[in-house]
mmCIF file of all heavy atoms in Angstrom:
data_model
loop_
_atom_site.group_PDB
_atom_site.id
_atom_site.type_symbol
_atom_site.label_atom_id
_atom_site.label_comp_id
_atom_site.label_asym_id
_atom_site.label_seq_id
_atom_site.Cartn_x
_atom_site.Cartn_y
_atom_site.Cartn_z
ATOM 1 N N ARG N 20 75.783 108.761 -34.832
ATOM 2 C CA ARG N 20 75.717 108.248 -33.462
ATOM 3 C C ARG N 20 76.685 107.097 -33.253
ATOM 4 O O ARG N 20 77.101 106.431 -34.280
ATOM 5 C CB ARG N 20 74.257 107.898 -33.023
ATOM 6 C CG ARG N 20 73.615 106.852 -33.964
ATOM 7 C CD ARG N 20 72.479 106.146 -33.263
ATOM 8 N NE ARG N 20 72.981 105.198 -32.322
ATOM 9 C CZ ARG N 20 72.185 104.278 -31.719
ATOM 10 N NH1 ARG N 20 70.874 104.339 -31.955
ATOM 11 N NH2 ARG N 20 72.675 103.310 -30.931
ATOM 12 N N ILE N 153 62.934 97.069 -42.572
ATOM 13 C CA ILE N 153 63.451 97.812 -41.383
ATOM 14 C C ILE N 153 63.446 96.863 -40.193
ATOM 15 O O ILE N 153 62.492 96.233 -39.869
ATOM 16 C CB ILE N 153 62.515 99.021 -41.088
ATOM 17 C CG1 ILE N 153 62.391 99.941 -42.254
ATOM 18 C CG2 ILE N 153 63.018 99.698 -39.826
ATOM 19 C CD1 ILE N 153 61.377 101.138 -42.109
ATOM 20 N N ASN N 154 64.618 96.731 -39.614
ATOM 21 C CA ASN N 154 64.845 95.673 -38.597
ATOM 22 C C ASN N 154 65.131 96.189 -37.204
ATOM 23 O O ASN N 154 65.586 97.375 -37.057
ATOM 24 C CB ASN N 154 65.910 94.728 -38.996
ATOM 25 C CG ASN N 154 65.334 93.596 -39.829
ATOM 26 O OD1 ASN N 154 64.294 93.049 -39.446
ATOM 27 N ND2 ASN N 154 65.893 93.287 -40.970
ATOM 28 N N ALA N 155 64.870 95.359 -36.230
ATOM 29 C CA ALA N 155 65.079 95.652 -34.838
ATOM 30 C C ALA N 155 66.595 95.327 -34.438
ATOM 31 O O ALA N 155 67.277 94.591 -35.237
ATOM 32 C CB ALA N 155 64.215 94.801 -33.967
ATOM 33 N N PHE N 156 67.009 95.775 -33.367
ATOM 34 C CA PHE N 156 68.493 95.629 -33.018
ATOM 35 C C PHE N 156 68.842 94.244 -32.612
ATOM 36 O O PHE N 156 70.090 93.885 -32.614
ATOM 37 C CB PHE N 156 68.881 96.592 -31.845
ATOM 38 C CG PHE N 156 68.303 96.181 -30.525
ATOM 39 C CD1 PHE N 156 69.027 95.220 -29.751
ATOM 40 C CD2 PHE N 156 67.127 96.708 -30.048
ATOM 41 C CE1 PHE N 156 68.452 94.829 -28.525
ATOM 42 C CE2 PHE N 156 66.623 96.279 -28.766
ATOM 43 C CZ PHE N 156 67.350 95.290 -27.992
ATOM 44 N N ASN N 157 67.887 93.408 -32.183
ATOM 45 C CA ASN N 157 68.310 92.112 -31.494
ATOM 46 C C ASN N 157 68.675 91.007 -32.506
ATOM 47 O O ASN N 157 69.229 90.079 -32.035
ATOM 48 C CB ASN N 157 67.196 91.708 -30.542
ATOM 49 C CG ASN N 157 65.865 91.573 -31.247
ATOM 50 O OD1 ASN N 157 65.573 92.181 -32.235
ATOM 51 N ND2 ASN N 157 65.019 90.673 -30.776
ATOM 52 N N PHE N 158 68.321 91.147 -33.790
ATOM 53 C CA PHE N 158 68.758 90.117 -34.701
ATOM 54 C C PHE N 158 69.335 90.794 -35.946
ATOM 55 O O PHE N 158 68.750 90.726 -37.072
ATOM 56 C CB PHE N 158 67.573 89.199 -35.062
ATOM 57 C CG PHE N 158 67.304 88.175 -33.999
ATOM 58 C CD1 PHE N 158 66.212 88.247 -33.195
ATOM 59 C CD2 PHE N 158 68.146 87.102 -33.951
ATOM 60 C CE1 PHE N 158 65.946 87.263 -32.234
ATOM 61 C CE2 PHE N 158 67.944 86.120 -32.980
ATOM 62 C CZ PHE N 158 66.816 86.241 -32.062
ATOM 63 N N TRP N 161 70.022 87.491 -38.591
ATOM 64 C CA TRP N 161 68.770 86.737 -38.924
ATOM 65 C C TRP N 161 67.694 87.661 -39.409
ATOM 66 O O TRP N 161 67.034 87.398 -40.497
ATOM 67 C CB TRP N 161 68.278 85.920 -37.683
ATOM 68 C CG TRP N 161 66.953 85.264 -37.983
ATOM 69 C CD1 TRP N 161 66.743 84.079 -38.613
ATOM 70 C CD2 TRP N 161 65.683 85.795 -37.650
ATOM 71 N NE1 TRP N 161 65.422 83.850 -38.683
ATOM 72 C CE2 TRP N 161 64.702 84.820 -38.075
ATOM 73 C CE3 TRP N 161 65.241 86.849 -36.959
ATOM 74 C CZ2 TRP N 161 63.358 85.012 -37.912
ATOM 75 C CZ3 TRP N 161 63.824 87.037 -36.733
ATOM 76 C CH2 TRP N 161 62.932 86.148 -37.221
ATOM 77 N N LYS N 180 67.237 98.310 -43.793
ATOM 78 C CA LYS N 180 67.635 99.343 -42.795
ATOM 79 C C LYS N 180 67.772 98.681 -41.468
ATOM 80 O O LYS N 180 66.823 98.378 -40.757
ATOM 81 C CB LYS N 180 66.573 100.463 -42.809
ATOM 82 C CG LYS N 180 66.984 101.827 -42.308
ATOM 83 C CD LYS N 180 67.128 102.160 -40.980
ATOM 84 C CE LYS N 180 66.808 102.470 -39.727
ATOM 85 N NZ LYS N 180 67.910 102.298 -38.791
ATOM 86 N N PRO N 181 68.977 98.271 -41.094
ATOM 87 C CA PRO N 181 69.146 97.594 -39.809
ATOM 88 C C PRO N 181 69.081 98.651 -38.680
ATOM 89 O O PRO N 181 69.268 99.861 -38.919
ATOM 90 C CB PRO N 181 70.631 97.013 -39.909
ATOM 91 C CG PRO N 181 71.268 97.973 -40.839
ATOM 92 C CD PRO N 181 70.229 98.450 -41.792
ATOM 93 N N ALA N 182 68.873 98.231 -37.425
ATOM 94 C CA ALA N 182 68.794 99.167 -36.307
ATOM 95 C C ALA N 182 70.255 99.677 -36.080
ATOM 96 O O ALA N 182 71.167 98.952 -36.157
ATOM 97 C CB ALA N 182 68.298 98.418 -35.067
ATOM 98 N N SER N 183 70.282 100.924 -35.776
ATOM 99 C CA SER N 183 71.621 101.593 -35.704
ATOM 100 C C SER N 183 72.589 100.977 -34.673
ATOM 101 O O SER N 183 73.753 100.835 -34.938
ATOM 102 C CB SER N 183 71.450 103.086 -35.316
ATOM 103 O OG SER N 183 70.706 103.733 -36.472
ATOM 104 N N GLY N 184 71.973 100.531 -33.534
ATOM 105 C CA GLY N 184 72.840 100.072 -32.387
ATOM 106 C C GLY N 184 73.690 98.864 -32.734
ATOM 107 O O GLY N 184 74.821 98.635 -32.136
ATOM 108 N N GLY N 212 72.037 103.943 -40.563
ATOM 109 C CA GLY N 212 71.745 105.277 -39.805
ATOM 110 C C GLY N 212 70.280 105.428 -39.730
ATOM 111 O O GLY N 212 69.492 104.469 -39.871
ATOM 112 N N SER N 213 69.875 106.648 -39.562
ATOM 113 C CA SER N 213 68.434 106.881 -39.415
ATOM 114 C C SER N 213 67.719 106.586 -40.742
ATOM 115 O O SER N 213 68.217 106.626 -41.814
ATOM 116 C CB SER N 213 68.262 108.326 -39.005
ATOM 117 O OG SER N 213 67.310 108.987 -39.783
ATOM 118 N N ALA N 214 66.370 106.317 -40.544
ATOM 119 C CA ALA N 214 65.587 105.953 -41.772
ATOM 120 C C ALA N 214 64.976 107.278 -42.417
ATOM 121 O O ALA N 214 64.120 107.219 -43.297
ATOM 122 C CB ALA N 214 64.391 105.031 -41.402
ATOM 123 N N LEU N 218 60.989 106.654 -45.913
ATOM 124 C CA LEU N 218 59.544 106.500 -46.018
ATOM 125 C C LEU N 218 58.938 107.632 -46.882
ATOM 126 O O LEU N 218 57.864 107.388 -47.501
ATOM 127 C CB LEU N 218 58.906 106.406 -44.661
ATOM 128 C CG LEU N 218 59.332 105.205 -43.747
ATOM 129 C CD1 LEU N 218 58.597 105.254 -42.422
ATOM 130 C CD2 LEU N 218 59.189 103.883 -44.451
ATOM 131 N N PHE N 229 58.416 95.835 -41.441
ATOM 132 C CA PHE N 229 58.993 96.419 -40.278
ATOM 133 C C PHE N 229 59.010 95.506 -39.134
ATOM 134 O O PHE N 229 58.018 94.810 -38.914
ATOM 135 C CB PHE N 229 58.241 97.697 -39.895
ATOM 136 C CG PHE N 229 58.599 98.222 -38.523
ATOM 137 C CD1 PHE N 229 59.706 98.985 -38.332
ATOM 138 C CD2 PHE N 229 57.772 97.875 -37.403
ATOM 139 C CE1 PHE N 229 60.070 99.420 -37.042
ATOM 140 C CE2 PHE N 229 58.127 98.318 -36.145
ATOM 141 C CZ PHE N 229 59.315 99.085 -35.948
ATOM 142 N N THR N 230 60.152 95.470 -38.391
ATOM 143 C CA THR N 230 60.267 94.664 -37.120
ATOM 144 C C THR N 230 60.792 95.631 -36.085
ATOM 145 O O THR N 230 61.810 96.269 -36.376
ATOM 146 C CB THR N 230 61.142 93.483 -37.240
ATOM 147 O OG1 THR N 230 60.534 92.494 -38.188
ATOM 148 C CG2 THR N 230 61.298 92.823 -35.931
ATOM 149 N N GLY N 231 60.090 95.797 -34.976
ATOM 150 C CA GLY N 231 60.578 96.587 -33.942
ATOM 151 C C GLY N 231 59.533 96.874 -32.937
ATOM 152 O O GLY N 231 58.553 96.023 -32.749
ATOM 153 N N SER N 232 59.547 97.917 -32.232
ATOM 154 C CA SER N 232 58.633 98.224 -31.103
ATOM 155 C C SER N 232 57.275 98.639 -31.723
ATOM 156 O O SER N 232 57.190 99.155 -32.861
ATOM 157 C CB SER N 232 59.205 99.325 -30.259
ATOM 158 O OG SER N 232 59.306 100.555 -30.971
ATOM 159 N N ALA N 233 56.231 98.470 -30.831
ATOM 160 C CA ALA N 233 54.917 98.855 -31.290
ATOM 161 C C ALA N 233 54.803 100.399 -31.548
ATOM 162 O O ALA N 233 54.198 100.798 -32.474
ATOM 163 C CB ALA N 233 53.852 98.411 -30.225
ATOM 164 N N ASP N 234 55.613 101.143 -30.773
ATOM 165 C CA ASP N 234 55.557 102.599 -30.917
ATOM 166 C C ASP N 234 56.096 103.011 -32.303
ATOM 167 O O ASP N 234 55.464 103.797 -32.954
ATOM 168 C CB ASP N 234 56.430 103.273 -29.837
ATOM 169 C CG ASP N 234 55.769 103.211 -28.529
ATOM 170 O OD1 ASP N 234 54.574 102.914 -28.494
ATOM 171 O OD2 ASP N 234 56.430 103.498 -27.530
ATOM 172 N N THR N 235 57.221 102.455 -32.752
ATOM 173 C CA THR N 235 57.767 102.769 -33.988
ATOM 174 C C THR N 235 56.818 102.250 -35.137
ATOM 175 O O THR N 235 56.630 102.939 -36.129
ATOM 176 C CB THR N 235 59.227 102.185 -34.195
ATOM 177 O OG1 THR N 235 59.948 102.580 -33.050
ATOM 178 C CG2 THR N 235 59.879 102.812 -35.405
ATOM 179 N N GLY N 236 56.283 101.110 -34.842
ATOM 180 C CA GLY N 236 55.307 100.526 -35.838
ATOM 181 C C GLY N 236 54.147 101.456 -36.065
ATOM 182 O O GLY N 236 53.733 101.678 -37.226
ATOM 183 N N MET N 238 54.215 104.758 -35.686
ATOM 184 C CA MET N 238 54.741 105.870 -36.463
ATOM 185 C C MET N 238 54.780 105.601 -37.924
ATOM 186 O O MET N 238 54.406 106.369 -38.765
ATOM 187 C CB MET N 238 56.091 106.231 -35.911
ATOM 188 C CG MET N 238 56.053 107.346 -34.868
ATOM 189 S SD MET N 238 57.510 107.746 -33.994
ATOM 190 C CE MET N 238 58.862 106.927 -34.630
ATOM 191 N N ILE N 239 55.188 104.402 -38.250
ATOM 192 C CA ILE N 239 55.372 104.019 -39.665
ATOM 193 C C ILE N 239 53.991 103.900 -40.268
ATOM 194 O O ILE N 239 53.742 104.443 -41.404
ATOM 195 C CB ILE N 239 56.132 102.697 -39.781
ATOM 196 C CG1 ILE N 239 57.630 103.030 -39.407
ATOM 197 C CG2 ILE N 239 56.095 102.181 -41.258
ATOM 198 C CD1 ILE N 239 58.501 101.829 -39.440
ATOM 199 N N HIS N 242 52.677 107.379 -41.049
ATOM 200 C CA HIS N 242 53.563 108.272 -41.742
ATOM 201 C C HIS N 242 52.771 108.779 -42.979
ATOM 202 O O HIS N 242 52.089 108.029 -43.722
ATOM 203 C CB HIS N 242 54.787 107.502 -42.193
ATOM 204 C CG HIS N 242 55.787 108.421 -42.808
ATOM 205 N ND1 HIS N 242 55.688 108.934 -44.060
ATOM 206 C CD2 HIS N 242 56.990 108.790 -42.304
ATOM 207 C CE1 HIS N 242 56.731 109.722 -44.315
ATOM 208 N NE2 HIS N 242 57.563 109.616 -43.303
ATOM 209 N N GLU N 255 55.890 93.667 -37.554
ATOM 210 C CA GLU N 255 56.168 92.609 -36.584
ATOM 211 C C GLU N 255 56.612 93.416 -35.336
ATOM 212 O O GLU N 255 57.723 93.920 -35.247
ATOM 213 C CB GLU N 255 57.366 91.760 -37.047
ATOM 214 C CG GLU N 255 57.130 91.017 -38.317
ATOM 215 C CD GLU N 255 56.178 89.783 -38.163
ATOM 216 O OE1 GLU N 255 55.983 89.404 -36.978
ATOM 217 O OE2 GLU N 255 55.596 89.414 -39.184
ATOM 218 N N ALA N 256 55.768 93.480 -34.322
ATOM 219 C CA ALA N 256 56.057 94.262 -33.140
ATOM 220 C C ALA N 256 56.321 93.385 -31.889
ATOM 221 O O ALA N 256 56.506 92.199 -32.017
ATOM 222 C CB ALA N 256 54.975 95.280 -32.931
ATOM 223 N N ASP N 257 56.262 94.102 -30.749
ATOM 224 C CA ASP N 257 56.613 93.372 -29.573
ATOM 225 C C ASP N 257 55.295 92.622 -29.064
ATOM 226 O O ASP N 257 54.223 92.869 -29.460
ATOM 227 C CB ASP N 257 57.130 94.248 -28.471
ATOM 228 C CG ASP N 257 56.210 95.491 -28.178
ATOM 229 O OD1 ASP N 257 54.981 95.239 -27.954
ATOM 230 O OD2 ASP N 257 56.678 96.680 -28.336
ATOM 231 N N SER N 258 55.592 91.645 -28.120
ATOM 232 C CA SER N 258 54.452 91.032 -27.541
ATOM 233 C C SER N 258 54.857 90.423 -26.166
ATOM 234 O O SER N 258 56.006 90.233 -25.850
ATOM 235 C CB SER N 258 53.839 89.972 -28.467
ATOM 236 O OG SER N 258 54.730 88.950 -28.652
ATOM 237 N N LEU N 293 64.613 88.582 -27.229
ATOM 238 C CA LEU N 293 63.976 87.921 -28.345
ATOM 239 C C LEU N 293 62.508 88.383 -28.313
ATOM 240 O O LEU N 293 61.867 88.296 -27.271
ATOM 241 C CB LEU N 293 64.055 86.372 -28.294
ATOM 242 C CG LEU N 293 65.413 85.791 -28.284
ATOM 243 C CD1 LEU N 293 65.787 85.277 -26.917
ATOM 244 C CD2 LEU N 293 65.372 84.522 -29.227
ATOM 245 N N CYS N 294 62.041 88.747 -29.474
ATOM 246 C CA CYS N 294 60.655 89.269 -29.550
ATOM 247 C C CYS N 294 59.663 88.146 -29.139
ATOM 248 O O CYS N 294 58.572 88.341 -28.677
ATOM 249 C CB CYS N 294 60.206 89.755 -30.898
ATOM 250 S SG CYS N 294 60.716 88.543 -32.139
ATOM 251 N N THR N 295 60.099 86.896 -29.361
ATOM 252 C CA THR N 295 59.201 85.710 -29.131
ATOM 253 C C THR N 295 59.388 85.137 -27.746
ATOM 254 O O THR N 295 58.799 84.146 -27.340
ATOM 255 C CB THR N 295 59.558 84.553 -30.100
ATOM 256 O OG1 THR N 295 60.972 84.476 -30.189
ATOM 257 C CG2 THR N 295 58.980 84.909 -31.509
ATOM 258 N N ARG N 298 57.469 85.730 -21.681
ATOM 259 C CA ARG N 298 57.385 86.816 -20.640
ATOM 260 C C ARG N 298 56.499 86.495 -19.494
ATOM 261 O O ARG N 298 56.812 86.811 -18.334
ATOM 262 C CB ARG N 298 56.814 88.141 -21.325
ATOM 263 C CG ARG N 298 57.524 88.573 -22.600
ATOM 264 C CD ARG N 298 58.921 89.132 -22.351
ATOM 265 N NE ARG N 298 59.625 89.405 -23.594
ATOM 266 C CZ ARG N 298 60.903 89.504 -23.663
ATOM 267 N NH1 ARG N 298 61.740 89.414 -22.593
ATOM 268 N NH2 ARG N 298 61.477 89.712 -24.832
ATOM 269 N N LYS N 340 70.971 102.266 -23.108
ATOM 270 C CA LYS N 340 69.521 102.761 -23.272
ATOM 271 C C LYS N 340 68.582 101.615 -22.996
ATOM 272 O O LYS N 340 67.491 101.752 -22.484
ATOM 273 C CB LYS N 340 69.436 103.195 -24.808
ATOM 274 C CG LYS N 340 68.137 103.839 -25.076
ATOM 275 C CD LYS N 340 68.147 104.422 -26.516
ATOM 276 C CE LYS N 340 66.726 104.440 -27.076
ATOM 277 N NZ LYS N 340 66.632 103.941 -28.394
ATOM 278 N N GLN N 341 68.894 100.339 -23.513
ATOM 279 C CA GLN N 341 68.055 99.222 -23.345
ATOM 280 C C GLN N 341 68.026 98.844 -21.857
ATOM 281 O O GLN N 341 67.019 98.399 -21.347
ATOM 282 C CB GLN N 341 68.555 98.012 -24.162
ATOM 283 C CG GLN N 341 68.146 98.200 -25.625
ATOM 284 C CD GLN N 341 66.670 98.264 -25.866
ATOM 285 O OE1 GLN N 341 65.884 97.557 -25.310
ATOM 286 N NE2 GLN N 341 66.296 99.275 -26.762
ATOM 287 N N GLU N 399 56.297 94.828 -21.955
ATOM 288 C CA GLU N 399 57.333 93.916 -22.444
ATOM 289 C C GLU N 399 58.647 94.453 -21.910
ATOM 290 O O GLU N 399 59.155 95.411 -22.340
ATOM 291 C CB GLU N 399 57.393 93.843 -24.021
ATOM 292 C CG GLU N 399 58.423 92.952 -24.504
ATOM 293 C CD GLU N 399 58.898 93.278 -25.880
ATOM 294 O OE1 GLU N 399 59.257 94.462 -26.125
ATOM 295 O OE2 GLU N 399 58.983 92.377 -26.696
ATOM 296 N N PHE N 401 62.262 94.044 -22.220
ATOM 297 C CA PHE N 401 63.001 93.419 -23.290
ATOM 298 C C PHE N 401 64.357 93.039 -22.702
ATOM 299 O O PHE N 401 65.383 93.659 -22.867
ATOM 300 C CB PHE N 401 63.210 94.315 -24.482
ATOM 301 C CG PHE N 401 63.335 93.640 -25.758
ATOM 302 C CD1 PHE N 401 62.409 92.671 -26.143
ATOM 303 C CD2 PHE N 401 64.474 93.815 -26.553
ATOM 304 C CE1 PHE N 401 62.586 91.915 -27.275
ATOM 305 C CE2 PHE N 401 64.639 93.058 -27.790
ATOM 306 C CZ PHE N 401 63.703 92.157 -28.133
ATOM 307 N N LEU N 427 53.093 86.906 -30.421
ATOM 308 C CA LEU N 427 53.881 86.209 -31.491
ATOM 309 C C LEU N 427 53.754 84.738 -31.191
ATOM 310 O O LEU N 427 53.613 83.836 -32.165
ATOM 311 C CB LEU N 427 55.276 86.612 -31.548
ATOM 312 C CG LEU N 427 55.526 88.047 -31.908
ATOM 313 C CD1 LEU N 427 56.954 88.489 -31.649
ATOM 314 C CD2 LEU N 427 55.162 88.299 -33.388
ATOM 315 N N HIS N 476 55.623 83.499 -38.937
ATOM 316 C CA HIS N 476 56.080 84.271 -37.836
ATOM 317 C C HIS N 476 55.382 85.621 -37.849
ATOM 318 O O HIS N 476 55.318 86.323 -38.825
ATOM 319 C CB HIS N 476 57.599 84.495 -37.915
ATOM 320 C CG HIS N 476 58.101 85.461 -36.946
ATOM 321 N ND1 HIS N 476 57.985 85.290 -35.673
ATOM 322 C CD2 HIS N 476 58.802 86.730 -37.130
ATOM 323 C CE1 HIS N 476 58.570 86.374 -34.956
ATOM 324 N NE2 HIS N 476 59.038 87.167 -35.890
ATOM 325 N N GLY N 477 54.779 85.956 -36.657
ATOM 326 C CA GLY N 477 53.978 87.187 -36.671
ATOM 327 C C GLY N 477 52.797 86.883 -35.797
ATOM 328 O O GLY N 477 52.506 85.723 -35.493
ATOM 329 N N ALA N 482 50.913 92.300 -31.449
ATOM 330 C CA ALA N 482 52.125 91.863 -32.060
ATOM 331 C C ALA N 482 52.343 92.499 -33.453
ATOM 332 O O ALA N 482 53.353 92.159 -34.090
ATOM 333 C CB ALA N 482 52.063 90.344 -32.140
ATOM 334 N N GLU N 487 55.318 86.685 -41.485
ATOM 335 C CA GLU N 487 56.474 86.465 -42.315
ATOM 336 C C GLU N 487 56.709 84.952 -42.388
ATOM 337 O O GLU N 487 56.126 84.131 -41.734
ATOM 338 C CB GLU N 487 57.704 87.088 -41.595
ATOM 339 C CG GLU N 487 57.756 88.555 -41.572
ATOM 340 C CD GLU N 487 58.951 89.158 -40.972
ATOM 341 O OE1 GLU N 487 59.705 88.390 -40.179
ATOM 342 O OE2 GLU N 487 59.315 90.305 -41.239
HETATM 343 P P1 LIG Z 1 62.618 100.193 -32.553
HETATM 344 O O1 LIG Z 1 63.282 101.250 -31.708
HETATM 345 O O2 LIG Z 1 61.162 100.246 -32.788
HETATM 346 O O3 LIG Z 1 63.431 100.246 -33.962
HETATM 347 C C1 LIG Z 1 63.231 99.287 -34.914
HETATM 348 C C2 LIG Z 1 63.735 99.771 -36.247
HETATM 349 O O4 LIG Z 1 62.986 100.931 -36.644
HETATM 350 C C3 LIG Z 1 65.161 100.273 -36.118
HETATM 351 O O5 LIG Z 1 65.803 99.971 -37.437
HETATM 352 C C4 LIG Z 1 65.036 101.826 -36.097
HETATM 353 O O6 LIG Z 1 66.164 102.537 -36.531
HETATM 354 C C5 LIG Z 1 63.851 101.984 -36.984
HETATM 355 N N1 LIG Z 1 63.169 103.250 -36.813
HETATM 356 C C6 LIG Z 1 63.058 104.010 -35.664
HETATM 357 N N2 LIG Z 1 62.306 105.097 -35.859
HETATM 358 C C7 LIG Z 1 61.879 105.033 -37.085
HETATM 359 C C8 LIG Z 1 61.068 105.844 -37.959
HETATM 360 N N3 LIG Z 1 60.490 106.979 -37.476
HETATM 361 N N4 LIG Z 1 60.827 105.504 -39.216
HETATM 362 C C9 LIG Z 1 61.333 104.322 -39.747
HETATM 363 N N5 LIG Z 1 62.168 103.526 -39.017
HETATM 364 C C10 LIG Z 1 62.396 103.866 -37.741
HETATM 365 O O7 LIG Z 1 62.878 98.678 -31.918
HETATM 366 P P2 LIG Z 1 64.228 98.094 -31.390
HETATM 367 O O8 LIG Z 1 64.558 98.790 -30.047
HETATM 368 O O9 LIG Z 1 65.333 98.107 -32.435
HETATM 369 O O10 LIG Z 1 63.833 96.584 -31.218
HETATM 370 C C11 LIG Z 1 63.263 96.139 -30.033
HETATM 371 C C12 LIG Z 1 61.731 95.816 -30.156
HETATM 372 O O11 LIG Z 1 61.559 95.162 -31.384
HETATM 373 C C13 LIG Z 1 61.232 95.024 -29.108
HETATM 374 O O12 LIG Z 1 60.096 95.617 -28.634
HETATM 375 C C14 LIG Z 1 60.897 93.648 -29.686
HETATM 376 O O13 LIG Z 1 59.858 92.991 -29.138
HETATM 377 C C15 LIG Z 1 60.634 94.042 -31.101
HETATM 378 N N6 LIG Z 1 60.968 92.864 -31.951
HETATM 379 C C16 LIG Z 1 59.974 92.352 -32.640
HETATM 380 C C17 LIG Z 1 60.279 91.246 -33.490
HETATM 381 C C18 LIG Z 1 59.202 90.499 -34.196
HETATM 382 O O14 LIG Z 1 59.538 89.703 -35.111
HETATM 383 N N7 LIG Z 1 57.986 90.824 -33.943
HETATM 384 C C19 LIG Z 1 61.583 90.804 -33.655
HETATM 385 C C20 LIG Z 1 62.562 91.519 -32.964
HETATM 386 C C21 LIG Z 1 62.262 92.535 -32.136
HETATM 387 P P3 LIG Z 1 67.215 103.127 -35.505
HETATM 388 O O15 LIG Z 1 67.865 101.953 -34.756
HETATM 389 O O16 LIG Z 1 68.181 103.797 -36.385
HETATM 390 O O17 LIG Z 1 66.481 104.043 -34.613
#
Side-chain angles (χ1 to χ4, degrees):
R20 57 159 281 191
I153 302 175
N154 271 315
F156 73 81
N157 56 331
F158 280 106
W161 174 81
K180 206 281 286 158
S183 296
S213 131
L218 297 182
F229 166 79
T230 295
S232 64
D234 286 348
T235 311
M238 265 171 6
I239 292 177
H242 188 287
E255 299 286 343
D257 53 54
S258 66
L293 297 103
C294 53
T295 43
R298 307 288 172 199
K340 186 174 154 229
Q341 284 302 314
E399 179 207 49
F401 209 55
L427 297 167
H476 170 59
E487 292 183 338

